[in-house]
DNA sequence: TTGTATGCGTTATCAC
DNA sequence: GTGATAACGCATACAA
């Protein structure tokens, strides 16, 4: 790094104001008492020098950083982007800063683990983990040393605290919706829990509920949205299928795109459901039928919980499952009679 | 805060390994030489104690934090969310961390200013500002003390460095596209530059170019997407209008939604253009005609530039305008003959 | 190769 | 109300 002038310290300010550094410290931190006259002189000196408190040095002695570390998988995903915003806002309310870390774009477990270590190095006071990828075992060692909350994914490990939206409930509700419309043959795009602890359980719940209600289920493995073309091919090979359930809104969008390409009418020939209800895909323009997660609530509650943990209080529950809601759009309808 | 056990320090590790703290310091920082045997003993002790380097204390003496402060207006917006991801990734490449700050959801200038001060307190080594709201004058005092780059918005103040996508070019290109299709009466949803330094100039450029090419322009003030209903009412009052240009993809989506509600065919009766080409709205599913900003490039280049500044190098240019591209979708077509 | 001593900017605890 | 001084955890120059 190029040499650059060091920022002024309280000592510089003290010299300029003709007082001791203790006085400056009291003035800028607002603790202790100082004469009104000297206070103004110090403030003037500070302003003239462009003094800004050094949070690093302050943290050094205070043993506090007033910082919560948030790990999000990818801020570019609407789900995590919204979560991040909700948390940042709520943390500010509690007087905490948020520092965010992400894996460096590779999305593997090692990478994400490193990101958590970075947060620990920065001496964040608590951790909020938002990633459907990282398994509980990798979170445990951090949770042992730092108040930790897992947000936005079902996490039932007994020694981890979590806030999420019940995936079983959502998957089942969407399945019920289709059954109620009269669908008897439904395809589900499934994701293994090993690649996503959110989409895995929710698609499993969809399939399970459908079967419970006597519906024939065609399971199609679809971890990646890029393979939507193949899903459609598979679905069309089974003419009895009248509806397709996607693991997320973005998966549903990819699906709709492919169906549009092949001239399959939605919901005329095929009904489609999504999951999340967040961001631009949730707009009435598309009218996607989906399960909406209360993301602002999840983010806010996660921060509240982590703050309670910091204050030594017991959170209301170890695992808080927040209620979502069904959004009925225009991509689902009763199946056509001839199918 | 509840009392909690303090994390182990190099001194704890040193005691356990039976060496001095300097040795531990050398081992964990990788600088200086230590005997292989002692090195392993130290590493063992560190692992047993769960030691993690304290970046705060390290920054204290090193006068470096290896941290770049990024201010983004709102991570929930796809544009900023993508920008954030691109920057984080590129910063990691250069060996820097990113700490993000946002206003606490209020979106006023004072709030954003406070967020920048927070970053300064944290002693970030450089600043990247991404907000269409904050005026140059509020950035200047920070830029004077810290290497600063403004990203994602046109910023031509001589003492600020910036990376952005040329708004004039994009607005003009979209206008040309419509003119080329034969439109002679076009509505432009305009935004004042005072409320957005990106959407302001770009909509102005649209209107200007249209007029230059002899098109009649209907300007409709539309800062907020929520008022899309009123835009449509206004447009429909002018039957000659055959196309509407929106200040962003999200504005265009709101517009399309309203048009759909009123049964206006797109592009049959009315052509619509957007701006950004980022995120879910850019998908072929919607097929929005828009100008695409090279957001990954902007984010990456912003970080590169800030790192060059940190290294004392001169950046390639004070203001780097990156080229965007026209995305031709299905929301624009030649105007119907009867209009 | 290893240990000792010093200082980074701040707050807290004392004296004054 | 004000000032001197001791930490905080680490890196580093220097001595051993």
């Amino acid at each position: 790094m190029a040499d650059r002038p060091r920022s002024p310290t309280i000592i510089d300010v003290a010299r300029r104001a003709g007082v001791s550094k203790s006085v400056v410290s009291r003035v800028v931190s607002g603790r202790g008492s100082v004469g009104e006259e000297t206070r103004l002189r110090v403030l003037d000196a500070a302003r003239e020098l462009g003094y800004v408190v050094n949070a690093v040095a302050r943290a050094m002695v205070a043993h506090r950083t007033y910082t919560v570390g948030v790990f999000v998988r990818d801020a570019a995903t609407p789900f995590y982007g919204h979560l991040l915003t909700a948390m940042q806002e709520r943390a500010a309310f509690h007087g905490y800063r948020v520092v965010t870390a992400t894996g460096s774009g590779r999305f593997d477990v090692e990478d994400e683990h490193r990101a958590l270590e970075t947060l620990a190095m920065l001496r964040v006071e608590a951790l909020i983990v938002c990633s459907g990828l990282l398994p509980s075992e990798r979170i445990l060692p951090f949770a042992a040393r730092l108040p930790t909350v897992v947000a936005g994914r079902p996490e039932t490990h007994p020694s981890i605290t979590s806030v999420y939206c019940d995936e079983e409930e959502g998957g089942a509700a969407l399945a019920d919706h289709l059954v109620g419309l009269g669908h008897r043959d439904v395809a589900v795009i499934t994701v293994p829990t090993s690649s996503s602890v959110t989409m895995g359980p929710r698609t499993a719940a969809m399939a399970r509920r459908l079967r419970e209600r006597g519906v024939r289920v065609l399971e199609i493995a679809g971890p990646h949205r890029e393979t939507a073309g193949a899903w459609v091919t598979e679905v069309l090979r089974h003419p009895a299928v009248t509806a397709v359930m996607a693991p997320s809104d973005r998966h549903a969008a990819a699906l709709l795109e492919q169906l549009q390409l092949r001239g399959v009418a939605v919901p005329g020939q095929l009904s489609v459901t999504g999951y999340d209800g967040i961001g631009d895909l949730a707009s009435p323009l598309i009218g996607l039928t989906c399960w909406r997660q209360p993301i602002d609530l999840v983010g806010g509650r996660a921060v509240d919980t982590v703050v309670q943990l910091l204050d030594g209080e017991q959170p209301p529950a170890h695992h808080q499952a927040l209620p979502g809601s069904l959004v009925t759009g225009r991509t689902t309808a009763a199946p056509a009679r001839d199918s």
Side-chain angles (χ1 to χ4, degrees), chain A residues 38-300:
Chain A
T38 35
R39 207 180 71 86
L40 292 176
R41 220 171 52 243
V42 168
L43 250 25
D44 274 348
R47 195 162 22 73
E48 286 163 20
L49 261 46
Y51 171 78
V52 176
V53 176
N54 186 336
V56 174
R58 179 176 280 179
M60 189 81 212
V61 43
H63 293 289
R64 295 212 56 178
T65 56
Y66 293 95
T67 299
V68 173
V70 171
F71 174 79
V72 286
R73 181 162 183 188
D74 178 13
T77 305
F79 181 85
Y80 291 120
H82 274 84
L83 202 51
L84 200 51
T85 297
M87 294 201 253
Q88 197 115 27
E89 188 168 339
R90 192 70 187 158
F93 169 83
H94 286 294
Y96 283 89
R97 281 187 288 267
V98 167
V99 349
T100 312
T102 66
S104 37
R106 305 220 322 275
F107 301 132
D108 66 73
V109 171
E110 287 312 321
D111 207 40
E112 302 204 339
H113 187 89
R114 254 193 305 281
L116 285 182
E117 275 185 331
T118 297
L119 291 175
M121 283 179 52
L122 295 175
R123 289 300 189 265
V124 297
E125 299 185 11
L127 229 41
I128 300 181
V129 179
C130 317
S131 162
L133 186 59
L134 216 57
S136 311
E137 305 81 53
R138 303 303 291 260
I139 301 177
L140 245 33
F142 293 96
R145 306 194 303 108
L146 235 44
T148 300
V149 169
V150 170
R153 82 176 207 195
E155 173 62 69
T156 51
H157 196 287
S159 49
I160 292 183
T161 306
S162 65
V163 179
Y164 57 93
C165 178
D166 194 334
E167 305 283 344
E168 309 285 328
E169 180 194 6
L174 282 168
D176 285 339
H177 170 70
L178 287 179
V179 174
L181 285 171
H183 294 271
R184 312 297 303 161
D185 280 274
V186 175
V188 177
I189 313 295
T190 62
V191 174
T193 295
S194 60
S195 64
S196 167
V197 296
T198 54
M199 294 190 276
R202 90 173 57 139
T203 52
M206 293 173 192
R208 191 181 325 118
R209 175 61 66 97
L210 287 172
R211 290 205 176 92
E212 281 169 12
R213 301 203 48 185
V215 171
R216 277 177 299 279
V217 175
L218 170 66
E219 294 198 20
I220 300 175
H224 303 300
R225 301 204 306 279
E226 293 69 29
T227 61
W231 311 338
V232 171
T233 304
E234 180 70 8
V235 168
L236 295 182
R237 230 198 330 249
H238 300 259
V241 170
T242 56
V244 186
M245 306 188 73
S248 79
D249 286 353
R250 311 188 91 191
H251 285 80
L255 188 59
L256 288 174
E257 188 184 320
Q258 288 296 325
L259 291 171
Q260 175 180 274
L261 231 52
R262 312 223 190 164
V264 178
V266 174
Q269 291 175 257
L270 225 46
S271 284
V272 171
T273 64
Y275 203 108
D276 281 340
I278 287 152
D280 293 327
L281 290 177
S283 114
L285 174 62
I286 300 180
L288 184 63
T289 292
C290 65
W291 184 253
R292 168 160 299 154
Q293 303 202 54
I295 190 107
D296 290 351
L297 248 175
V298 170

